[in-house]
Amino acid sequence: MKRRAQRHRATAPLAAIVLTAVACEGPREQTETFLGTAPACLELSFWPSQETALEDALQQALNLRRAAPDACGKTGSSPRIALRHAPLLRCAARMSARDMGARGGLFAIDSLGRDCTGRVAAAGAVEVLVLGEAQARDINGVNEALDAWLSDPNTCALLQDPTARDVGVGVWSESPVDPLVWSVVVATPAD
């Protein structure tokens, strides 16, 4: 009888430690964002608040960089207009960022076989011409992401494209300790 009582005493502290560890990880705070009514977007409307704040900050910083002359190492280039927030493009960017986060890398084609244009169509944005998508992983700050993209001629040309009018930004992390994955979808109205 004494042995059984001792076993219960020995396992009780372990169970309490496990419960405490699980309780510390709790759900992340979520922000609701309107992304349109497409079924693919409805599930992405509730997003971690920290990532939503990074999305907003990235769009703001991108527009500041677009307003500055001398983009992409070209002296004398004129400033570009600010990009409008497009909820359906944000949905497509979130699709991409979450998919890449789950897969642990950067991919032009998502796990459902869609490219950037396919994700934009799944979001319901049919009256836009997709110019492209910039992606990044393992970058923790807005300016660090922009610096990396603007130092690359291809992504700089995309983000500074003078014909661009609309943007959607998606930032995702599988958990608070996992790396951030960034996606920026740039488009212009279709003629």
Side-chain angles (χ1 to χ4, degrees):
M1 191 72 138
K2 286 184 181 180
R3 280 189 163 171
R4 287 185 193 175
Q6 288 174 346
R7 283 187 187 156
H8 284 293
R9 283 187 214 144
T11 58
L14 291 176
I17 291 170
V18 171
L19 291 175
T20 303
V22 171
C24 290
E25 289 182 19
R28 294 190 279 174
E29 183 180 326
Q30 302 280 305
T31 299
E32 183 177 11
T33 310
F34 176 74
L35 300 175
T37 58
C41 298
L42 293 177
E43 68 181 73
L44 302 175
S45 294
F46 289 93
W47 205 247
S49 297
Q50 179 181 349
E51 282 85 337
T52 301
L54 288 170
E55 291 169 350
D56 295 338
L58 181 64
Q59 181 180 345
Q60 198 171 41
L62 173 58
N63 280 329
L64 287 173
R65 301 268 184 115
R66 284 178 59 86
D70 302 329
C72 304
K74 297 177 185 174
T75 57
S77 64
S78 61
R80 280 120 333 259
I81 66 167
L83 298 175
R84 297 177 298 225
H85 165 71
L88 301 181
L89 296 182
R90 182 181 244 182
C91 174
R94 284 182 174 182
M95 283 181 212
S96 181
R98 186 175 70 174
D99 183 74
M100 290 186 293
R103 293 168 65 195
L106 299 177
F107 303 96
I109 306 297
D110 68 18
S111 58
L112 297 176
R114 301 175 301 199
D115 63 4
C116 183
T117 302
R119 288 187 292 276
V120 170
V126 293
E127 296 182 9
V128 297
L129 173 64
V130 176
L131 298 174
E133 176 183 22
Q135 301 174 342
R137 186 172 189 274
D138 294 326
I139 294 178
N140 293 321
V142 167
N143 288 320
E144 186 181 355
L146 279 174
D147 289 344
W149 286 324
L150 296 177
S151 67
D152 176 84
N154 294 325
T155 53
C156 188
L158 170 66
L159 296 177
Q160 297 290 348
D161 189 324
T163 66
R165 297 293 178 262
D166 301 308
V167 68
V169 179
V171 179
W172 176 254
S173 178
E174 287 293 305
S175 77
V177 297
D178 286 325
L180 292 171
V181 180
W182 306 73
S183 170
V184 179
V185 177
V186 180
T188 194
D191 292 330

